[in-house]
Amino acid sequence: MDFHTLVPGKQGLAAIDADALLVVVLGTKVPGSLDGPLGQALADAVAAGDFAFRAGQMLYAHRVPGVKARRVTFVWAVDAGARSLRKAVAMGVALVKGGGARHLAVAVAGGGSEVDGAGAEALVLAVHEATYVYRATKPSAPAASKLERVTLVCDREEKGAKARKAGAASAGATGAGALAAGLARGQAVAAGVALARELANRPGNHCTPTYLAEQARKLGKSHGLKVEVLDRKDCERLGMGSFLAVAQGSDQPPKFIVARWQGAGKDEAPIVLVGKGITFDTGGISIKPAAEMDEMKFDMGGAASVLGTLCAVAGARARANVVGIVPACENMPSGRAVKPGDVVKSLSGQTIEILNTDAEGRLILCDALSYAERFKPAAVVDIATLTGACVIALGHHRSGLFSTDDALAAELLAAGEAAFDPAWRMPLDEEYDEVLKSNFADMANVGPRAGGAITAAMFLKRFTSKLRWAHLDVAGTAWRSGPNKGATGRPVALLSQWVLSKVAGPAAAGAGKVRTRRRA
Ligand code: BES
Ligand code: MN
Ligand code: ZN
């Protein structure tokens, strides 16, 4: 999909050459800028009681006389901020996506606030979100939307051009230059979100550890990443006894994927992202109940978000160094599977008594966190669908954030708010560590049910003493259950926002040079 900005000519919105026009209406009366046929159509609808200036109001009109666009939608919004725009665009796109429109123009009228770079970015993400269709294993699914082109109508080209020249095309700036930068950034992030959704939606028999490794390699080719895949032998040599203990019950060979984006100088310390890549979690010998076990194909959502974020960051040509680490395997019961009570030795040298084989995420992450040390990272963030307890604690709106570093936690929380991909900080008091004591190893892999999301994080903390570290438990946010079952692509938006905001300024200009590539 192609996104761009347009400054309308003298005849205004009515003359815009698009298949569909979405007018985001602000304020409490027919906007003065909507003179001519569009204003008349809206005023007529208001008089007839079919449109009001309040939240949730939407009006569709076909072939308004004097308006070039065949389809016109009015959606009311409280302001032109990113949050409002995102909602309004989602509503408007939902209405035209199943139809014949190929070219959609979006304009804001009335109010007094104007769209900024963050708004433009939000618009792109909303359009992609609303038009995504999973088809990989469902050829009968409705064809993806016909939308090919989206135009963001704006005015004041000069101000934007000046802003861009001054290198100030940041998210908060307005004008065409800032909008174009926001659109480019949005496209890079949307591609990352789409990749994460696509990978996580694939069933376990398609999305195996080997498949994830292939996809990482493919992403590397298309986006200029260095990708290295360690196999079982490599991991044995390194001493990843904890990761391999989880992998040993499966016939699918484990893959330890390392993908690197080098957008900054060689000596700049990288950000390391570690993603849980359990391509299917049966629970192992501590097997899960049958109900909803299918959803455990999403247990590689953390891994998908790491690859998605690399896709976004590389797509935006960000001047940052980012390393993605994905330990990938299945958690299966079998004659070779690890058993409750087994003791394994992690890469860190610490031993672990595996009391519950269903607490496997932490077992693969701990070795990946130890591996991360070799990159001398500026910060390490792991992302995992780690605990059902986190879903109980926070539901499906906010991801759980755990960190031993207040500044890092604050950065990630702020990125989550800005990207509409919010998280909530959870505690890591030493007192919670007590329950991990074992008589037979340095630690047990589980505690009691109470505070399960925290004890899981406390387990990981034992492997991060040399790191600036944060952990995102996305068990409640990486996918939706029920009739709209499917991956959300979270927290790609949060992570991309975090990385891209660190390199704002020069990177925003670089983000304008996004190349369109095939999706991996
Ligand atoms: N992948 C699951 C976590 C999960 C469960 C995510 C349900 C989303 C929905 C994880 O591997 C797991 O099984 N965790 C156990 C830990 C327990 C055995 C301490 C859990 O949450 O029940
Ligand atoms: Mn499990
Ligand atoms: Zn799991």
Side-chain angles (χ1 to χ4, degrees):
M1 227 181 292
D2 181 41
F3 289 80
H4 60 269
T5 57
L6 173 80
V7 178
K10 276 215 181 75
Q11 290 137 302
L13 298 180
I16 282 179
D17 190 10
D19 300 327
L21 174 62
L22 171 61
V23 184
V24 180
V25 179
L26 311 179
T28 54
K29 57 181 194 323
V30 176
S33 60
L34 285 184
D35 46 0
L38 285 166
Q40 274 168 31
L42 186 61
D44 190 64
V46 171
D50 293 325
F51 188 84
F53 299 94
R54 59 178 146 83
Q57 289 287 300
M58 178 158 71
L59 176 77
Y60 180 77
H62 205 74
R63 285 224 190 265
V64 178
V67 178
K68 191 154 191 187
R70 179 199 293 242
R71 307 162 187 85
V72 178
T73 307
F74 297 96
V75 180
W76 189 84
V78 67
D79 57 31
R83 182 179 296 271
S84 313
L85 211 60
R86 187 164 161 265
K87 248 196 224 156
V89 168
M91 279 172 75
V93 170
L95 201 73
V96 297
K97 73 170 175 185
R102 291 172 188 279
H103 178 194
L104 170 73
V106 180
V108 175
S113 59
E114 53 185 306
V115 182
D116 61 9
E121 184 177 349
L123 172 138
V124 179
L125 286 162
V127 171
H128 278 277
E129 157 106 51
T131 53
Y132 172 83
V133 182
Y134 173 76
R135 306 195 66 190
T137 52
K138 188 177 177 183
S140 65
S145 152
K146 291 198 184 71
L147 273 187
E148 288 162 2
R149 218 166 131 73
V150 179
T151 300
L152 175 56
V153 181
C154 60
D155 29 49
R156 311 209 296 152
E157 196 162 24
E158 325 72 49
K159 186 181 165 189
K162 261 186 229 151
R164 205 202 319 239
K165 248 186 218 152
S170 65
T174 59
L179 297 189
L183 292 179
R185 201 166 126 137
Q187 271 178 291
V189 177
V193 171
L195 174 63
R197 292 179 84 174
E198 199 58 26
L199 291 175
N201 279 334
R202 281 209 176 24
N205 63 329
H206 290 243
C207 183
T208 59
T210 304
Y211 176 84
L212 271 185
E214 277 166 12
Q215 291 308 302
R217 283 221 167 88
K218 205 167 144 188
L219 182 70
K221 285 224 174 73
S222 64
H223 282 60
L225 311 174
K226 277 182 212 145
V227 178
E228 194 187 353
V229 179
L230 310 186
D231 61 16
R232 196 193 305 266
K233 281 237 169 65
D234 300 319
C235 296
E236 273 166 9
R237 244 174 264 132
L238 283 162
M240 294 188 183
S242 190
F243 171 50
L244 291 172
V246 177
Q248 78 191 33
S250 170
D251 290 339
Q252 290 291 340
K255 302 287 170 186
F256 191 94
I257 305 162
V258 182
R260 311 171 64 167
W261 166 249
Q262 188 99 36
K266 277 234 156 37
D267 4 290
E268 193 172 310
I271 284 168
V272 177
L273 303 175
V274 176
K276 174 177 173 183
I278 295 290
T279 59
F280 196 80
D281 182 12
T282 65
I285 296 298
S286 312
I287 199 162
K288 287 179 180 295
E292 280 146 41
M293 203 206 273
D294 65 290
E295 296 190 3
M296 284 302 125
K297 73 173 183 176
F298 295 119
D299 212 16
M300 36 58 73
S305 77
V306 167
L307 295 178
T309 303
L310 280 167
C311 171
V313 167
R317 318 297 300 167
R319 290 191 192 173
N321 294 335
V322 183
V323 180
I325 302 180
V326 170
C329 68
E330 276 186 338
N331 187 22
M332 297 289 282
S334 81
R336 275 175 289 118
V338 73
K339 305 172 294 298
D342 286 1
V343 173
V344 299
K345 188 166 176 190
S346 68
L347 178 57
S348 73
Q350 300 176 91
T351 58
I352 304 163
E353 184 186 16
I354 300 179
L355 290 176
N356 189 322
T357 65
D358 198 10
E360 85 297 343
R362 61 199 79 181
L363 295 174
I364 71 170
L365 291 171
C366 68
D367 280 350
L369 287 167
S370 299
Y371 191 83
E373 284 176 11
R374 71 183 54 209
F375 297 106
K376 305 210 176 354
V380 179
V381 181
D382 77 73
I383 306 97
T385 50
L386 201 63
T387 65
C390 191
V391 190
I392 302 300
L394 291 172
H396 301 286
H397 181 51
R398 286 182 183 264
S399 306
L401 170 70
F402 301 79
S403 183
T404 42
D405 186 299
D406 289 344
L408 177 59
E411 281 179 26
L412 290 164
L413 287 175
E417 298 303 321
F420 310 106
D421 188 357
W424 194 258
R425 192 161 179 195
M426 303 276 279
L428 283 174
D429 303 83
E430 272 314 311
E431 283 80 353
Y432 290 109
D433 191 74
E434 194 72 19
V435 294
L436 292 177
K437 287 198 169 138
S438 160
N439 291 347
F440 305 103
D442 293 331
M443 72 196 86
N445 77 327
V446 291
R449 267 163 58 92
I454 306 168
T455 36
M458 290 305 293
F459 178 93
L460 297 177
K461 180 171 172 256
R462 285 173 173 246
F463 298 85
T464 61
S465 57
K466 296 186 190 125
L467 302 170
R468 228 183 127 219
W469 164 75
H471 156 60
L472 282 163
D473 192 332
V474 295
T477 53
W479 78 86
R480 273 184 284 269
S481 308
N484 291 322
K485 190 189 287 183
T488 60
R490 292 179 68 181
V492 171
L494 180 161
L495 294 168
S496 305
Q497 172 75 32
W498 177 56
V499 175
L500 294 175
S501 69
K502 284 182 176 299
V503 293
K513 289 177 208 135
V514 169
R515 281 181 268 150
T516 345
R517 297 184 186 82
R518 272 181 300 120
R519 186 197 289 156

